[in-house]
Amino acid sequence: MARTKLTTDRNNAPATAYSTAPFQPGAGRLVLAFVLSTAPPGIGGQTAASPTASSTNGVTWESLGAAHPGTTARVMLAGFRAMTQANVASAPLRFTFPGLQGACAWSVFEYDGVDTGGTNGSAAVLSPTAQSLSGASHDSGRSPAGRVTVGAIALAGNIGSATPGTGSSEVDKQSVAGFAGGSGLLHTQDRPASGTAESLRWTWTPQAQAAALVLELKGVPVSGSDEQEELLRRFEPILFMHPEESFFPSDAKRYLEHCALWRAQAPFDTKDSWGGTGSPYPRVPMIARDRISARPGEPGTPLDTPVNLLDTPTEERFLELGGWKDKAQTTQQSVTATSTHPYADRGEIANRYSTVPELEASRFWYHGEVVPQGRLRTLLNAAPESDVLGAHFGALKNPTLLCYFLFYPAHEQPLSPDSYCRNVEAKEVGACGGSWGCVAVLLEQDDKDGPYTPLYIGLTGEHLLQPSDLTVGRPYAVDDARRINMNVERWRPAGATPLLPDVVADHPKVSVARGSHSMSMSAGKQWGMVYTEDISPQGCGRFDTPSMIPPRPDEPTVWEDLAVILAKMSAGGVLNPLGWAAGFVAGMAERFEGGLSVVGGPGGAAFDQPDYPAAGSGRTIKPTDVGSLPEFGSQVEDWRSRQGLDVQGRRYDFIVDRTAQKWWPSEPGSPTPGGFRGRWGPRVETDPLGRRAGMRFPDFPRMFFLALADGKAKSQL
């Protein structure tokens, strides 16, 4: 609901009627008018009166109520409403009093996007309340999520100004001073449709008698995709990206359209299985790059066919955009008899996003899914942990889960720099093409027609550890592939310091670590678990798990270990202390295969301490309705996510529709699984855990509720 100021002024001359300047309200707008009047000139006994309101352009005005400030009757506050159904002529608004008044001030403004039902704005205006009070402040207690709150206050006496509460905005202020009569201040403000700004309130100096008139505005009823978009826009996250970040949330459909689609057969991590086992080299994809059609009627080869969407334990599909590279980091764009493909070529992916206009324009995009109560119940009933999840679901009041899916064209997660590993395997151990993240917000409603209130927030990435005790993890769940975690915390719990997430209106601020895109509500270095111990990389990433380390037939003695380390130190230069240090590290890495503990933390390759960027240190991605605040820095991008965007005959939507958009997997638990269930990046060689292969799309709602259950079980939520 957007506000537009129409007219405001004052008249300090005594009169029985006052007229505003002519103004023309828009069609279908709710117009509000607040008026302050003072007692007529004279000694004792005079009182300010409540007026009627009228105009000559056919607009009908209804009273919202009136009140005198405190115990004085020398000032009066009154309010009116009107609804325009069509365009009307410009005309003044006239306030007519039953007797002479000393002075008058007014403030008139309008709102669009309100409920136009009822009579003359009756459906849009909820619970108008006028009251008398005194003091130096007034808290209306009105803070309804999803509704704009509007208020006017009249302060008796020579009060210079009034200050609105945090998150509210001043509309107008007018002071009047009638000759030998009363004086006063009229102040109007509104509070956004947010569940996090302070309730509508005022403070002023010095103490004074006051009258307040406060009401709530109900927006136009919406349904279907309109209602989904309204909810998603309300809680859109603000992302603070790392200053050295190369990959940003992007439109998954445009990525897919520029990829090649490949067939893979078990065993999946050998190139002979790509493009058909035993087929002649060079191997070719099922659909070449830039040839996939993701929607019926759009150019290219349709993705939505049974053979293209096949996914079984022995055969799968994967997308490939930038090709591969070998251990020497040389690009491998073709699968030949002599080529090797241990890693995805993320440099080529970055190059395409900087040189292909369609891909560059697809950045700063999220995909949103609204999962209402009925669908949530169905999804959780289909989960293997349905008994546990159902119990937590049943304790919620009319829950709705918002999921903001963040697609990254590539993922980079080397072993921690503090592990002393500098080999290529350590750099590439957790890197892949095509990965997913998610910001999830769980909402509740006291009743099904009531406002939504945020209850919990979920962020994907590393499993974050308790800062005060690194042996304790925060509430979390891991996906079935054991590649990404969902961390869940309560939304701005009362009494917490600091109050997290920090928000602008209802938009949570989130810091995103470089490369891994792990997310946190706090900036700075934070410990997290990347891998569980049983699948933690070993030997500086040369082995995917402890069990894969080959046995050493003749275990060396400590003297043999020491001899190798001393030899490395000597090679660094007898008179060069820096050379000794480098030799010591190299010797340790060689003899102990890089399995050195991370300095200052839990230890081992399972853990990491990424740097979550501070606000404004890199790019800031924000909702369009949030201004560019100083803390956002100089590189600010608005979310580009839209519905019905047409680009060269192709349609792009940000709201997920799993029935119409076949690049999404079907609902978990569907009797006939469908949609694209393959990998969003290429398979690579010698990758038994699929750690360096593109990700499959995780079941984020299930992960969210598993993390919620974990937090409840550990008494952390």
Side-chain angles (χ1 to χ4, degrees), residues 166 191 194-198 235 441-442 453-458 488-509 521 717:
T166 301
R191 175 189 178 280
S194 156
T196 55
E198 288 184 341
F235 293 95
V441 180
L442 183 65
T453 301
L455 193 62
Y456 297 99
I457 182 170
V488 168
E489 297 289 349
R490 188 172 286 276
W491 180 281
R492 298 175 66 81
T497 304
L499 201 57
L500 297 175
D502 192 10
V503 295
V504 176
D506 279 326
H507 305 292
K509 300 177 184 178
M521 294 184 288
L717 295 177

Side-chain angles (χ1 to χ4, degrees), residues 469-512:
D469 184 351
L470 296 180
T471 65
V472 177
R474 296 301 302 164
Y476 87 109
V478 67
D479 73 320
D480 288 339
R482 303 174 74 182
R483 297 183 65 173
I484 189 169
N485 301 283
M486 171 78 76
N487 301 283
V488 168
E489 297 289 349
R490 188 172 286 276
W491 180 281
R492 298 175 66 81
T497 304
L499 201 57
L500 297 175
D502 192 10
V503 295
V504 176
D506 279 326
H507 305 292
K509 300 177 184 178
V510 178
S511 293
V512 185

Side-chain angles (χ1 to χ4, degrees), residues 308-432:
N308 288 341
L309 298 177
L310 183 67
D311 189 81
T312 71
T314 59
E315 186 164 338
E316 67 178 28
R317 305 291 180 255
F318 66 79
L319 298 171
E320 172 264 310
L321 179 64
W324 299 263
K325 57 185 179 178
D326 60 21
K327 286 193 174 184
Q329 304 289 281
T330 303
T331 187
Q332 304 285 313
Q333 291 298 308
S334 299
V335 181
T336 70
T338 58
S339 60
T340 58
H341 307 262
Y343 312 122
D345 191 342
R346 303 176 307 283
E348 179 57 26
I349 295 174
N351 177 60
R352 287 177 68 83
Y353 269 83
S354 64
T355 59
V356 177
E358 295 85 357
L359 290 176
E360 192 284 328
S362 76
R363 300 187 305 166
F364 316 121
W365 185 287
Y366 69 83
H367 297 273
E369 186 168 31
V370 179
V371 190
Q373 182 176 9
R375 272 187 63 205
L376 268 179
R377 182 182 292 108
T378 300
L379 293 178
L380 299 182
N381 285 342
E385 311 85 356
S386 57
D387 290 346
V388 174
L389 300 185
H392 294 292
F393 175 81
L396 300 169
K397 295 181 292 185
N398 303 306
T400 293
L401 185 67
L402 305 183
C403 291
Y404 299 85
F405 301 136
L406 307 176
F407 174 73
Y408 292 95
H411 177 94
E412 297 182 307
Q413 192 158 22
L415 293 183
S416 169
D418 294 332
S419 68
Y420 306 111
C421 299
R422 299 294 181 266
N423 53 306
V424 66
E425 294 89 350
K427 173 186 174 183
E428 298 285 348
V429 65
C432 69

Side-chain angles (χ1 to χ4, degrees), residues 605-623:
F607 299 92
D608 192 15
Q609 192 184 27
D611 185 13
Y612 292 92
S617 60
R619 271 192 170 93
T620 297
I621 311 175
K622 69 173 186 66

